[in-house]
């Protein structure tokens, strides 16, 4: 079962880390019984410091290095550890292939291509989670390779300005996000040519926003509501339809049309421009760039199922592109909205050009992501984990009355198709077992090496703050019972919260704990060492037995920790 050298390595570890009693127990056992001893004996670790919390979930990790190197029957956790470090996507290949493919598409028209950019141009963390190796700013870096050819038009819908629509991930309105996007693009050397306000019908707020942009020296164009859009193609493709819209003046061969969010009118902007360009004798082209669904992966591939989970609230459904199958006899995956609108687009293309340049909605796309997957198993595992995370998020939204039960049911169906359950998320079971044992809120975190650390609610700290401190102790090799923040430093903060600021919960949130830790780090080298471990938390997984406050959720987001929670409140009350 064990290769030569195993016992010698274990003897070395035992001499350094374990008491004489444990060593005797270990070496009295034969090699065939070593695994049982490792997981069942009552370890005394590092100066006899180890409470039940770490003994239950961290101690098995101590021997894992020796065990996994020498055992031919490696434990199940090893596979996950390896997958957490493996890359499933070749980002450099993607940048090269994608930019070349877009240049090729430009050349097929009169050196003018309007490229509708779906999804996020940067900070695409969904893609980076389901395609390990994909960098969140990959699409932006790809565009930077085309910066000498490209200009950006940012689109925003007048109704969204009117109702102050907010981006859920950033918490800012769409009109403010237009300015943020402009700053982000220009700071990276990309040229933003103008802003386009779509579906305009005299909204006062849209007029005010237009004037605001113009005062900043930004060119603004307007697209009007067209009766019967998108079905009334004879009106749309006429001087009374697209012809009434402003013509957006552009100077470069590649025009990137993007927006703060879906439903802003990106496609309508592109098609309106094709009409105006054609009137000016230029046969411009249109293409669509969306990472998901990946057209050349199977319909039920976990990567594509994860996209459906991410858009469950939009009722997007992946489907086989029937137009592509009819035209080429090959299956390709697209989503329902593009398939449904394609006959209308075809009619519009025919109205502009006399014939359509595309035979299917898949033909319109330029996405090369599927060509750059280098380890499909890694991507499948990552996508299954993403579906589970999305499931918990939908449950939390439903519990907060911010979501719908249909969204939950849809993701449950996707989980059945992917043959996964919530318990396959490694932090769920340790968290729930800990909470059950204590009859109190608990949290569990999976570190980058696969180790599981737990935290519990106490008089001083909430479970999320406790697991955060326990995790950085493990990462910094700091004894578990050593205080990083003195109780005497926590008590005044509790007094401030409850006596002076009118709070009811004396326990410290994660942000308060981190502030207190940073203050301790100024004079305590151990606290400084712990604080230095925070960057190592990026990509770690956390599950909590109760829903967290917005403050705690945002701290985990900023740390890059991927959080899920059981859909229950810590306290039963009418108002939270």
């Amino acid at each position: 079962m064990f290769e030569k050298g195993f016992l010698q390595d274990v003897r070395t570890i035992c001499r350094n880390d374990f008491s004489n009693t444990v060593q005797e127990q270990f070496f009295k056992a034969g090699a065939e019984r070593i695994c049982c001893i490792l997981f069942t004996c009552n370890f005394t670790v590092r100066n006899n410091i180890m409470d039940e919390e770490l003994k239950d979930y961290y101690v098995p990790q101590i021997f894992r290095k020796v065990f996994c190197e020498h055992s031919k029957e490696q434990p199940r956790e090893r596979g996950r550890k390896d997958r957490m470090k493996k890359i499933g996507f070749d980002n450099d290949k993607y940048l090269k292939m994608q930019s070349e493919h877009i240049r090729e598409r430009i050349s097929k028209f009169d050196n003018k291509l309007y490229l509708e950019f779906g999804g996020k141009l940067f900070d695409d963390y969904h893609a980076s989670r389901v395609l390990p190796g994909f960098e969140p700013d990959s699409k932006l870096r790809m565009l930077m390779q085309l910066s000498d050819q490209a200009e950006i038009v940012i689109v925003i819908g007048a109704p969204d300005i009117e109702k102050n629509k907010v981006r859920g991930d950033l918490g800012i309105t769409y009109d403010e996000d237009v300015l943020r996007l402009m700053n982000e693009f220009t700071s990276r050397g990309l040229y933003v040519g103008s802003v386009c306000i779509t579906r305009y019908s005299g909204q006062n707020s849209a007029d005010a926003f237009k004037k605001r942009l113009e005062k900043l020296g930004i060119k603004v164009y307007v697209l009007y509501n067209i009766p019967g859009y998108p079905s009334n193609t004879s009106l749309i493709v006429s001087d009374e339809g697209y012809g009434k819209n402003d013509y957006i003046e552009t100077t470069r061969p590649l025009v990137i049309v993007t927006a703060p969010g879906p439903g802003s009118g990106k496609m309508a902007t592109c098609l309106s421009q094709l009409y105006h360009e054609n009137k000016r004798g230029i046969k411009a082209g249109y293409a669509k760039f969306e990472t998901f669904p990946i057209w050349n992966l199977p319909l039920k591939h976990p990567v594509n199922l994860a996209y459906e989970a991410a858009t469950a609230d939009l009722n997007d459904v992946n489907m086989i592109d029937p137009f592509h199958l009819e035209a080429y006899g090959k299956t390709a995956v697209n989503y329902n909205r593009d398939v449904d609108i394609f006959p209308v687009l075809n009619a519009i293309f025919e109205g502009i050009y006399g014939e359509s340049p595309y035979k299917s909605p898949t033909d319109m796309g330029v996405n090369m992501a599927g060509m750059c997957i280098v380890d499909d198993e890694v991507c499948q595992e990552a996508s299954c984990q993403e579906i589970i995370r999305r499931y918990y998020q939908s449950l939390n939204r439903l519990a907060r009355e911010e979501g719908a039960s249909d969204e939950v049911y849809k993701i449950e169906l996707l989980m059945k198709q992917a043959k996964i359950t919530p318990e396959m998320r490694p932090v769920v079971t340790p968290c729930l077992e800990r909470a059950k044992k204590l009859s109190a809120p608990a949290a569990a975190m999976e570190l980058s090496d696969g180790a599981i650390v737990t935290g519990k609610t106490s008089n001083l700290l909430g479970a999320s703050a406790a697991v955060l401190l326990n995790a950085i102790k493990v990462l910094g090799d700091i004894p578990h019972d050593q205080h990083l923040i003195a109780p005497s430093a926590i008590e005044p903060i509790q007094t401030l919260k409850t006596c002076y600021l009118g709070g009811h919960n004396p326990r410290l949130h994660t942000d308060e704990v981190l502030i207190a830790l940073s203050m301790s780090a100024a004079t305590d080298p151990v606290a400084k060492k712990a604080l230095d471990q925070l960057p190592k938390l990026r990509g770690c997984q956390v599950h909590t037995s109760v829903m967290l406050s917005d403050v705690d959720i945002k701290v985990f987001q900023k740390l890059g920790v991927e959080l899920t929670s059981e859909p229950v409140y810590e306290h039963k009350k009418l108002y939270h």
Side-chain angles (χ1 to χ4, degrees), residues 192-259:
V192 180
S194 59
V195 171
C196 178
I197 298 175
T198 64
R199 292 181 290 154
Y200 177 75
S201 57
Q203 294 93 337
N204 292 331
S205 55
D207 291 334
F209 184 59
K210 183 173 183 288
K211 289 178 182 177
R212 180 185 176 190
L213 294 177
E214 289 171 339
K215 283 182 179 179
L216 295 171
I218 301 167
K219 293 180 180 178
V220 184
Y221 299 93
V222 173
L223 270 62
Y224 298 90
N225 269 328
I226 302 175
Y229 188 89
S231 303
N232 191 352
T233 56
S234 59
L235 174 61
I236 294 168
V237 187
S238 73
D239 289 343
E240 296 302 312
Y242 286 148
K244 289 180 66 175
N245 292 335
D246 289 348
Y247 169 62
I248 302 171
E249 295 181 2
T250 58
T251 58
R252 300 190 180 183
L254 176 61
V255 181
I256 306 296
V257 180
T258 188

Side-chain angles (χ1 to χ4, degrees), residues 331-528:
T331 59
V333 176
N334 216 298
Y335 69 104
N336 56 306
R337 283 186 288 148
D338 273 9
V339 171
D340 291 343
I341 199 68
F342 184 70
V344 178
L345 289 179
N346 241 359
I348 293 174
F349 283 137
E350 290 170 358
I352 295 172
Y353 299 131
E355 63 178 358
S356 174
Y358 298 122
K359 295 181 179 180
S360 72
T362 302
D363 280 349
M364 298 190 301
V366 292
N367 180 29
M368 302 299 288
M371 308 291 188
C372 304
I373 292 175
V374 293
D375 192 324
D376 187 62
E377 182 181 352
V378 170
C379 293
Q380 287 198 41
E381 168 68 16
S383 298
C384 287
Q385 291 299 319
E386 176 69 5
I387 295 170
I388 298 172
R389 285 192 293 269
R390 297 283 184 178
Y391 175 62
Y392 274 109
Q393 290 168 12
S394 68
L395 288 174
N396 286 188
R397 282 194 292 271
L398 184 62
R400 292 191 176 101
E401 298 183 349
E402 297 171 355
S405 56
D406 287 347
E407 181 183 347
V408 175
Y409 298 151
K410 178 174 181 179
I411 300 180
E412 286 177 344
L413 178 60
L414 295 173
M415 292 174 68
K416 288 180 181 178
Q417 292 173 355
K419 295 180 173 58
I420 55 178
T421 63
E423 292 73 25
M424 293 175 71
R425 178 164 167 77
V427 284
V428 170
T429 299
C431 170
L432 298 183
E433 287 180 352
R434 188 80 176 139
K436 182 178 180 181
K437 182 178 180 180
L438 298 171
S439 297
M445 178 182 290
E446 182 184 25
L447 304 180
S448 60
D449 67 348
I452 301 290
V453 179
T454 62
K456 60 184 179 180
T457 294
S458 66
N459 292 332
L460 298 177
L461 305 175
S464 56
V467 78
L468 196 59
L469 290 179
N470 290 343
I472 58 179
K473 283 181 182 179
V474 171
L475 292 170
D477 200 24
I478 299 168
H480 180 64
D481 68 343
Q482 181 163 348
H483 290 304
L484 298 177
I485 308 166
S488 59
I490 295 177
E491 289 167 2
I493 301 175
Q494 292 181 313
T495 301
L496 173 67
K497 290 179 64 177
T498 57
C499 296
Y500 302 124
L501 299 181
H504 299 289
N505 179 11
R507 300 185 188 94
L508 267 59
H509 290 292
T510 49
D511 62 331
E512 295 161 340
V513 162
L514 292 178
I515 291 170
L517 178 63
S518 63
M519 293 175 66
S520 298
T523 56
D524 182 357
V526 177
K528 174 66 166 61

Side-chain angles (χ1 to χ4, degrees), residues 4-260:
K4 185 178 180 181
F6 173 75
L7 294 179
Q8 183 60 44
D9 283 358
V10 172
R11 284 191 179 95
T12 301
I13 288 181
C14 281
R15 280 196 297 270
N16 292 337
D17 289 48
F18 291 87
S19 67
N20 292 333
T21 303
V22 172
Q23 292 181 48
E24 289 173 7
Q25 285 181 322
F26 185 87
F27 288 106
K28 281 180 182 178
E32 297 300 324
R33 296 180 58 208
I34 284 177
C35 290
C36 297
I37 297 293
L38 292 183
F39 285 85
T40 58
C41 68
N42 185 15
F43 290 112
T44 305
V45 183
R46 298 180 199 259
N47 302 321
N48 297 321
I49 297 169
M50 183 67 69
D51 74 351
E52 289 295 322
E53 181 173 323
L54 288 188
K55 186 178 75 176
D56 289 347
Y57 297 117
Y58 181 60
V59 167
Q61 304 290 334
I62 294 172
F63 277 99
R64 185 164 290 166
K65 177 178 184 297
V66 174
F67 180 79
C68 289
E69 284 181 357
H70 292 275
S71 173
K72 293 178 181 177
E73 297 178 17
Q74 297 181 354
R76 184 172 56 117
E77 289 88 341
R78 175 63 182 272
R80 174 157 176 79
K81 280 177 63 180
D82 287 346
R83 284 196 294 275
M84 290 176 73
K85 297 177 182 178
K86 279 186 178 179
I87 298 298
F89 187 85
D90 189 334
N91 203 64
D92 291 335
K93 180 182 179 182
Y94 172 73
L95 294 176
K96 184 174 183 293
M97 286 188 70
Q98 191 64 71
S99 56
E100 288 177 351
H101 192 57
I102 291 174
R103 286 192 182 98
E104 179 186 344
R105 187 64 63 93
I106 295 172
S107 68
K108 291 184 176 180
F109 299 94
D110 284 354
N111 202 36
K112 191 75 172 184
L113 180 69
Y114 287 87
L115 183 60
E116 178 191 347
F117 240 79
K120 296 177 180 177
L121 252 175
F122 51 90
D123 295 343
D124 192 347
Y125 291 108
H126 174 82
S128 67
R129 289 192 296 267
V130 301
L131 301 171
F134 184 102
E135 296 294 336
D137 64 345
S138 290
K139 288 186 275 189
L140 191 62
R141 287 167 59 191
M142 180 272 295
L143 284 184
M144 290 171 69
Q145 296 183 6
L146 301 165
S147 60
D148 59 329
Q149 295 178 280
E151 71 176 275
I152 297 173
V153 174
I154 303 176
V155 174
I156 181 171
D160 295 335
I161 302 172
E162 185 77 7
K163 63 184 179 183
N164 290 316
K165 189 171 183 179
V166 173
R167 274 191 62 155
D169 54 344
L170 299 177
I172 61 175
T173 57
Y174 273 28
D175 53 346
E176 290 299 320
D177 195 40
V178 168
L179 299 174
R180 185 189 71 89
L181 289 170
M182 292 191 74
N183 284 336
E184 293 287 349
F185 295 144
T186 54
S187 67
R188 287 167 168 81
L190 293 168
Y191 171 55
V192 180
S194 59
V195 171
C196 178
I197 298 175
T198 64
R199 292 181 290 154
Y200 177 75
S201 57
Q203 294 93 337
N204 292 331
S205 55
D207 291 334
F209 184 59
K210 183 173 183 288
K211 289 178 182 177
R212 180 185 176 190
L213 294 177
E214 289 171 339
K215 283 182 179 179
L216 295 171
I218 301 167
K219 293 180 180 178
V220 184
Y221 299 93
V222 173
L223 270 62
Y224 298 90
N225 269 328
I226 302 175
Y229 188 89
S231 303
N232 191 352
T233 56
S234 59
L235 174 61
I236 294 168
V237 187
S238 73
D239 289 343
E240 296 302 312
Y242 286 148
K244 289 180 66 175
N245 292 335
D246 289 348
Y247 169 62
I248 302 171
E249 295 181 2
T250 58
T251 58
R252 300 190 180 183
L254 176 61
V255 181
I256 306 296
V257 180
T258 188

